[in-house]
Amino acid sequence: MNRKYVQAVLLVILALLAIAGCGRVPLEQAAPPEGQAAPENQAAATEEPAEEAPAGEQEAVGGEPQVVTRAITSEPGSLDPQGPAGAGQNAILPYLFDTLVYLDIDNKFHPYLAESWETSPDGLAVTFNLRENVTFHDGTPLNAEAVRYTFERLKQQGQASVLAGMAEMVESIDVIDETTVRFNLSEPSSTLLSSLATPYAGIISPTAAEERGRGFGQSPVGSGAYMLEKWDPGVSITLVKNPDYAWAPDVVENQAAPHIDRLVFSILPDVSQQVAAFEAGEVDILFVNQPSHVERLRQNPDAELVETTLNSLIYLGFNLSRPPFDDLRVRQAFSHAVNKEEILETALGGIGQVAVSPLAATLPGFDPSVEAYALDYDPERTAALLAEAGFTQGPDGTWAADGVPLEVTLLTSTRPPNQAIATVLQSQYKAVGIPVEIQTLDSGAAMDAATAGNYDLLLWRYDWNDADVLRVYLSTSRIGRTNRNFYSNPELDRILDEAARELDDERRNELYLEAQQIILTDAPWQPLYTPQDYIAVRKDVTSIVMGPMGRMLMNDAVKQ
């Protein structure tokens, strides 16, 4: 064999080995399990990649489109971010709509659609400087006029939105130029940025909103990393990646279109069915909070369990608009009949933390000293308070007033583990002579019934990113909207309004301490527990960036 030919071949082999040595594992990707070979195209992740295909046409791992399926329990009634908040929305809206600012998992604000912002010295004006060259899914520009339109629309028709209070605080919005917009406020706000970081503040396409009118919620148009491709009612919602996307927040590495081609949200109301679908390889991601499912998935070698903080509280609410819960003594009696530790152990397998405050323990402003105001489990006190309120106990242990038996209905949604909690509560009330009928509705119907006041007891949950949640759910101005307990206390309103204006964190926390004390004294709620939630992710889906409130940023994600 020709000697020069052999030398040439050896040089080529050495060069190939050197190139292979440059390969690196993608972000957050673990090495393959022992005994399993790395994917054949692993070498594609090198520092000197081949020429990149146009956006939206990159070849997926294995040559097939990358599809990630997430199970959701309830189908949203609408994907209009400005309508009533509903189950399933939080999981989908952040992929369709971008917000002016991004709040990370450590409660730090980052630029998003707004590259920067400035607050006037008097706190009454906030000016946002927008990114250039951002477009909606319909190709129209996302500019200062689109931002103005979004929030003017919220002010006009967003009365049922959780951001209705923020909209009322914004007196006007000025378009300074194509990329500069100013919010003029009626008073300084410590909650504006946190409100603007929620999915409900996503910027919408004015063109699409005007063309589609009431149908916008079924065919939404935003500027997010994904677009709505198909909505099969009762079955699934499919999003396809936005090939033009180039404006992700700086918490992710990939500022271009996502690598995952499609996100499918599979509607599976039965949580056991979700777990079975995960085990069968039909689902890649699901939310988990039932102890048996957490343990089952911990044993699954294909699953990674990610603990997530949703700043949540599960509580028992009373309907103050109807007897007997318009009587403080009755609310206190019902609160003293609740054994929170038993709920935690029996219904939740010990997963979670007993609540002592109407403010989730993970939120700034929570103060453990309010435990002194909590209405602890005390069945004897229950009996004494019911007697004070005019009820008498019969030979069978039940109660009545003026010949009317004390019987109540507990309303909740089908969201797990509500049924298990409701059953324990029913047993605890039976033990003190109070029959409870459980009414379980799907999330949308339960929300409608609660808002209309068609219940006695309400087993409910909130997830929020700021202590202003107390104003959202308990202020007088929200009665008939997000205040579903019909509770009103002018002094509490004053404190919560002041806290929403207060820019000094120390003073703000003092105000929230006062608010927690008042709420525990008035007892519109009996706080039950702060949940410990998990998201199960199939291990072949890597490089997901976790955000606040259980949000999953898929910009960097890949499916092996």
Side-chain angles (χ1 to χ4, degrees):
M1 183 178 295
N2 185 287
R3 185 172 180 180
K4 290 184 178 180
Y5 173 82
V6 172
Q7 289 176 335
V9 169
L10 289 173
L11 286 171
V12 169
I13 292 172
L14 288 171
L16 289 173
L17 289 172
I19 292 171
C22 293
R24 57 185 174 87
V25 179
L27 178 67
E28 297 180 5
Q29 179 180 321
E34 186 174 348
Q36 178 180 323
E40 290 183 4
N41 63 341
Q42 184 81 39
T46 65
E47 293 183 354
E48 296 292 335
E51 183 177 348
E52 187 175 347
E57 298 181 8
Q58 289 92 342
E59 185 173 290
V61 176
E64 298 293 329
Q66 297 191 56
V67 179
V68 168
T69 300
R70 176 171 178 173
I72 56 175
T73 305
S74 300
E75 180 176 17
S78 167
L79 289 174
D80 184 338
Q82 297 180 355
Q89 283 183 331
N90 251 339
I92 302 174
L93 290 178
Y95 300 112
L96 296 172
F97 299 96
D98 297 318
T99 52
L100 291 175
V101 296
Y102 176 79
L103 182 65
D104 70 17
I105 203 165
D106 296 316
N107 289 319
K108 178 184 176 184
F109 291 103
H110 295 254
Y112 200 175
L113 290 177
E115 291 184 319
S116 62
W117 54 91
E118 298 173 359
T119 302
S120 63
D122 62 4
L124 296 179
V126 183
T127 303
F128 294 92
N129 302 302
L130 306 179
R131 288 183 187 237
E132 296 181 349
N133 303 318
V134 177
T135 56
F136 291 109
H137 301 152
D138 58 7
T140 57
L142 194 161
N143 52 22
E145 181 57 38
V147 173
R148 185 204 62 78
Y149 176 89
T150 294
F151 292 100
E152 289 289 352
R153 180 178 184 265
L154 177 63
K155 287 175 67 65
Q156 292 168 8
Q157 63 182 59
Q159 290 82 6
S161 168
V162 293
L163 297 184
M166 183 209 75
E168 292 168 359
M169 177 183 61
V170 178
E171 288 193 331
S172 63
I173 302 172
D174 296 330
V175 173
I176 308 302
D177 57 37
E178 186 76 4
T179 58
T180 311
V181 60
R182 181 172 63 230
F183 285 58
N184 301 305
L185 311 180
S186 59
E187 55 192 15
S189 172
S190 58
T191 64
L192 178 66
L193 289 183
S194 59
S195 296
L196 292 177
T198 69
Y200 308 109
I203 308 303
I204 66 175
S205 162
T207 301
E210 289 297 311
E211 288 177 351
R212 302 175 190 190
R214 292 178 178 271
F216 182 78
Q218 276 59 52
S219 54
V221 177
S223 63
Y226 287 87
M227 308 177 287
L228 179 65
E229 181 179 52
K230 180 182 179 184
W231 189 335
D232 190 356
V235 179
S236 63
I237 296 173
T238 302
L239 311 185
V240 62
K241 73 178 179 182
N242 176 2
D244 300 321
Y245 196 72
W247 42 84
D250 59 12
V251 296
V252 298
E253 290 191 356
N254 175 29
Q255 292 291 304
H259 307 303
I260 301 295
D261 296 281
R262 283 179 175 81
L263 298 179
V264 178
F265 294 87
S266 180
I267 303 159
L268 300 172
D270 185 340
V271 181
S272 296
Q273 184 184 3
Q274 293 183 16
V275 176
F278 185 94
E279 293 171 335
E282 299 166 359
V283 164
D284 301 296
I285 300 172
L286 72 157
F287 179 82
V288 190
N289 61 3
Q290 290 189 262
S292 59
H293 294 157
V294 171
E295 187 56 35
R296 181 169 161 183
L297 289 167
R298 275 198 178 121
Q299 306 303 317
N300 188 328
D302 296 325
E304 179 179 357
L305 280 177
V306 181
E307 187 173 348
T308 181
T309 299
L310 300 182
N311 299 323
S312 309
L313 181 78
I314 285 73
Y315 62 90
L316 181 68
F318 305 111
N319 186 346
L320 277 69
S321 70
R322 60 163 69 168
F325 297 108
D326 55 348
D327 188 324
L328 172 60
R329 294 167 297 184
V330 176
R331 300 196 299 273
Q332 291 172 332
F334 271 72
S335 295
H336 280 301
V338 175
N339 186 335
K340 301 177 188 180
E341 285 77 9
E342 183 182 39
I343 292 172
L344 200 66
E345 290 301 322
T346 304
L348 303 159
I351 297 178
Q353 177 184 346
V354 166
V356 297
S357 166
L359 200 58
T362 53
L363 282 171
F366 168 77
D367 193 317
S369 70
V370 299
E371 186 171 4
Y373 292 78
L375 300 175
D376 295 330
Y377 177 57
D378 187 347
E380 293 182 2
R381 186 64 181 145
T382 293
L385 285 164
L386 288 177
E388 285 181 27
F391 289 88
T392 56
Q393 193 168 25
D396 62 353
T398 61
W399 298 84
D402 299 324
V404 179
L406 180 57
E407 299 173 346
V408 298
T409 298
L410 187 156
L411 171 67
T412 193
S413 74
T414 53
R415 177 177 182 169
N418 287 355
Q419 183 63 45
I421 299 168
T423 301
V424 176
L425 285 167
Q426 183 183 52
S427 174
Q428 292 178 355
Y429 284 121
K430 181 179 179 181
V432 295
I434 304 173
V436 173
E437 177 188 349
I438 299 172
Q439 183 181 20
T440 306
L441 304 176
D442 67 69
S443 295
M447 184 173 294
D448 289 343
T451 305
N454 297 329
Y455 72 92
D456 297 307
L457 303 175
L458 178 66
L459 177 59
W460 214 246
R461 167 180 178 143
Y462 72 66
D463 310 295
W464 203 246
N465 64 2
D466 191 276
D468 191 53
V469 67
L470 299 179
R471 189 168 64 126
V472 171
Y473 286 103
L474 289 173
S475 64
T476 303
S477 64
R478 309 300 176 86
I479 289 176
R481 295 186 288 174
T482 49
N483 180 345
R484 302 179 179 92
N485 302 103
F486 304 90
Y487 165 67
S488 175
N489 183 320
E491 177 62 12
L492 179 69
D493 293 339
R494 183 193 65 77
I495 291 171
L496 292 177
D497 287 345
E498 183 180 344
R501 296 190 299 268
E502 181 56 60
L503 302 180
D504 179 77
D505 288 341
E506 184 175 348
R507 173 57 184 156
R508 194 170 184 236
N509 288 340
E510 291 173 357
L511 291 166
Y512 283 124
L513 174 58
E514 292 182 52
Q516 291 167 79
Q517 292 168 347
I518 290 173
I519 294 166
L520 288 170
T521 300
D522 287 351
W525 294 351
Q526 169 62 304
L528 298 178
Y529 72 97
T530 298
Q532 184 175 329
D533 298 315
Y534 295 88
I535 293 176
V537 181
R538 190 168 295 283
K539 287 185 177 178
D540 62 358
V541 180
T542 62
S543 302
I544 295 173
V545 175
M546 293 303 299
M549 311 293 293
R551 181 174 175 181
M552 307 178 75
L553 283 77
M554 302 296 290
N555 307 69
D556 296 335
V558 293
K559 188 173 184 180
Q560 302 300 318

